[in-house]
Amino acid sequence: LPPGDDTVYYMASLTKAITCAAMAALVDKGQVKWDTPVSQILPDFAQRKDAVGRDVTILDILAHRTRLASANALWAQRNQIIPMSKSETLRTCVHLQSVSPLGEQFFYHNWGYGLATEIIEKVSGLDFGTFARKSIFEPLSMKHTTIDVPDDGLLAHCYMARDDGTPCLIPPPPQTNKMALAGAGGCKSSIGDLLVFYRALMLASHLDRKDSPIKQVAMLFKAQITIGQSSIEDEAYALGWERTTHGLNHEKTPVTGNNSAARTIMYHHGTLVGFLSSVFLIPDSETAVIVMTNSHPFADSSDWGGQLVLETILEGEPSHDFIQLTEDTKAAQFAAYSDLADELGAKKSRNQPTRALEDYCGVYYIEAGNLHLDIVVQGDKLLMIVQGLREVQYVLEPYDDDTFWWPVNREYEQCDQCMFSWTWSGVHLVSFLNSHGSISALEWHHDVTTPSAERFVKKGVLNQETESGGTGQAGMSEKPE
């Protein structure tokens, strides 16, 4: 069916502006302050015995200033599965590794918005979806916007691109109000509704609209931390928004708008498997460019399409060849997978596992105790099952002694397994550790933002039902402490 103003798309990270607007409503009512420490509202966060647990504020988590590891594999897994439950958000954040000192650099972090969701629910007494609906969606008559499950009749199907460019229909993302990180990427909306929301934001940014449900816009649009090596005036993150005054400049891409006079542009991009989205606001002229797509091709079509329109608005005509940029990006994606396959293949040895495959079997837990990997034998290989979910599994082949791997295949990963692009070598390798003559742990570098792999400690063995193909949580002969 052709799309229309009411066609519903997953907003992905454009949700963050909704979350910040919801938090602003609480701040405006005096129920929280921007500088309120997270641990004051969520006391268990103080279990972190570092500056993050002690000092991080609401402003810090919304401005991506915590410098905590991304840990995206804990919420974005194969087949659109979120392995971590919403109730585990706080415990997960307590155990996330710090990758550098607090507040020194911008570091994009979805789990911070998971914490923001928890804060909104704790302070308001409502679940996040209900609070967003009552405080923003209903006052603005955004009838096709929800954090929950949208109307199937209006929701766009989603697709990935096979290697030959043909579309592959995939299941929709599972993000709902009941899932972890709803405030990071769980909102769905239509072009018609988003035009209403963004217009309300821009009007409230320069007019005293006491009747507007959008509050604290000066703070929402204020630069909070620099992005990259630029000055905070040139390129910064605000609250749910990136902000620039001298054009959009992404790595290895042109500067959009650099030939025009300096103007403040607020923008953001969103990515989920099967959906890409972009928005660009020019507040002084109340201009909004919104691009929502229901496919995930070789390049970010929502970003390039939005920038093409933005250049036309700012400069009268496009000054960059976005078709060539798309071709270059496609080539770069294929090259990344090819180079990764070559790298891993070159290091693969002929050394066979040092012990029987059955010796590697068991249930392995991360330090937080809320994520486990089940290892079972499958023929002459191992099968790694995430969180006991048969929909989230990796076939591991021998690689080098006690290290196993899952081979690289772009089309299989993105189309058949509905995965994000994971193009670093460590995520393909699972190494088992020997202690006192037996396998005691495994290491998996699932997070590219950390310098080393995460250790999963063996806590028990699988029961016969699970080994023979049971589903759900793994049965164990020993429970983790």
Side-chain angles (χ1 to χ4, degrees):
L1 294 176
D5 289 351
D6 296 334
T7 301
V8 174
Y9 302 84
Y10 281 70
M11 292 176 61
S13 284
L14 303 195
T15 300
K16 291 178 172 65
I18 299 284
T19 303
C20 291
M23 189 71 77
L26 295 176
V27 172
D28 201 65
K29 293 178 181 178
Q31 292 179 268
V32 294
K33 296 180 179 179
W34 293 115
D35 61 357
T36 298
V38 170
S39 59
Q40 182 175 313
I41 302 170
L42 305 174
D44 285 350
F45 192 65
Q47 292 177 12
R48 291 190 66 99
K49 304 303 181 184
D50 60 3
V52 174
R54 181 180 64 250
D55 300 330
V56 156
T57 66
I58 290 174
L59 200 63
D60 291 326
I61 61 175
L62 297 179
H64 300 294
R65 299 194 303 212
T66 64
R67 298 295 293 170
L68 294 178
S70 294
N72 288 331
L74 304 188
W75 67 268
Q77 269 292 344
R78 290 185 161 190
N79 288 308
Q80 303 276 44
I81 300 296
I82 301 176
M84 196 69 70
S85 68
K86 183 178 180 180
S87 62
E88 293 297 329
T89 299
L90 183 54
R91 179 155 57 147
T92 298
C93 292
V94 165
H95 285 86
L96 289 179
Q97 180 179 340
S98 292
V99 296
S100 67
L102 173 66
E104 287 191 356
Q105 292 178 304
F106 169 81
F107 192 77
Y108 198 81
H109 192 243
N110 284 300
W111 284 100
Y113 275 75
L115 286 175
T117 307
E118 298 292 307
I119 291 171
I120 290 169
E121 293 189 341
K122 181 76 174 289
V123 173
S124 71
L126 300 172
D127 66 73
F128 176 63
T130 300
F131 184 75
R133 175 169 54 81
K134 289 181 175 294
S135 62
I136 301 172
F137 306 154
E138 288 181 351
L140 291 176
S141 296
M142 297 169 65
K143 298 178 181 179
H144 303 299
T145 304
T146 183
I147 310 294
D148 293 303
V149 179
D151 184 345
D152 283 341
L154 295 173
L155 179 63
H157 294 301
C158 52
Y159 301 85
M160 296 296 284
R162 295 202 177 276
D163 287 351
D164 63 3
T166 57
C168 173
L169 179 66
I170 62 171
Q175 278 80 359
T176 69
N177 193 45
K178 297 179 180 179
M179 298 291 188
L181 304 186
C187 196
K188 305 93 187 169
S189 190
S190 66
I191 290 288
D193 278 6
L194 290 175
L195 284 170
V196 172
F197 174 65
Y198 296 137
R199 182 171 188 271
L201 264 173
M202 291 186 287
L203 284 174
S205 71
H206 57 85
L207 295 176
D208 185 13
R209 298 289 298 270
K210 297 186 185 302
D211 59 333
S212 174
I214 309 300
K215 308 295 184 182
Q216 303 274 322
V217 179
M219 181 59 78
L220 296 179
F221 281 179
K222 181 180 178 181
Q224 302 292 337
I225 189 168
T226 66
I227 296 175
Q229 302 301 313
S230 62
S231 69
I232 197 166
E233 292 80 14
D234 289 343
E235 187 79 16
Y237 200 85
L239 299 183
W241 292 95
E242 293 181 59
R243 172 191 171 108
T244 181
T245 55
H246 291 284
L248 282 67
N249 186 11
H250 303 299
E251 185 178 2
K252 298 181 180 178
T253 69
V255 180
T256 292
N258 64 330
N259 295 326
S260 59
R263 298 175 73 177
T264 297
I265 301 171
M266 310 299 297
Y267 66 99
H268 214 289
H269 309 295
T271 303
L272 283 173
V273 176
F275 287 94
L276 295 171
S277 54
S278 293
V279 58
F280 307 86
L281 305 183
I282 309 175
D284 64 11
S285 62
E286 297 177 20
T287 300
V289 177
I290 310 165
V291 184
M292 310 293 286
T293 75
N294 60 324
S295 64
H296 201 298
F298 305 120
D300 191 340
S301 53
S302 69
D303 186 6
W304 293 151
Q307 289 198 47
L308 187 153
V309 175
L310 188 66
E311 278 199 347
T312 303
I313 292 172
L314 294 174
E315 301 172 6
E317 62 180 9
S319 57
H320 296 99
D321 186 348
F322 287 99
I323 294 177
Q324 185 60 52
L325 283 168
T326 300
E327 293 294 335
D328 293 345
T329 305
K330 174 185 175 181
Q333 180 176 146
F334 278 94
Y337 279 92
S338 177
D339 291 348
L340 178 60
D342 291 345
E343 175 191 347
L344 288 167
K347 295 178 180 178
K348 184 179 183 300
S349 78
R350 296 183 179 181
N351 296 338
Q352 293 301 302
T354 63
R355 55 192 62 235
L357 293 181
E358 288 76 12
D359 292 344
Y360 300 102
C361 295
V363 185
Y364 298 76
Y365 278 81
I366 60 173
E367 181 183 4
N370 57 0
L371 182 76
H372 62 87
L373 304 175
D374 306 337
I375 304 296
V376 300
V377 175
Q378 180 171 282
D380 59 350
K381 302 178 178 66
L382 294 176
L383 189 65
M384 182 173 76
I385 307 168
V386 179
Q387 208 76 322
L389 301 166
R390 285 288 175 167
E391 303 90 344
V392 189
Q393 58 183 251
Y394 299 80
V395 177
L396 303 179
E397 302 178 8
Y399 186 78
D400 181 26
D401 292 334
D402 291 328
T403 296
F404 293 72
W405 75 319
W406 49 281
V408 179
N409 186 313
R410 192 211 75 88
E411 182 174 297
Y412 174 74
E413 293 169 35
Q414 293 194 12
C415 296
D416 300 317
Q417 292 295 309
C418 307
M419 295 177 65
F420 283 98
S421 296
W422 286 3
T423 52
W424 65 98
S425 59
V427 75
H428 284 266
L429 301 174
V430 177
S431 298
F432 292 86
L433 307 182
N434 187 335
S435 176
H436 304 293
S438 62
I439 298 297
S440 59
L442 67 79
E443 290 184 338
W444 184 30
H445 198 179
H446 60 79
D447 189 348
V448 71
T449 65
T450 59
S452 58
E454 181 156 25
R455 179 165 296 186
F456 293 71
V457 177
K458 190 174 184 179
K459 292 289 187 177
V461 296
L462 297 169
N463 63 27
Q464 186 61 38
E465 177 186 357
T466 303
E467 290 181 352
S468 62
T471 60
Q473 297 294 321
M476 296 176 57
S477 62
E478 176 185 351
K479 294 293 183 183
E481 297 178 356

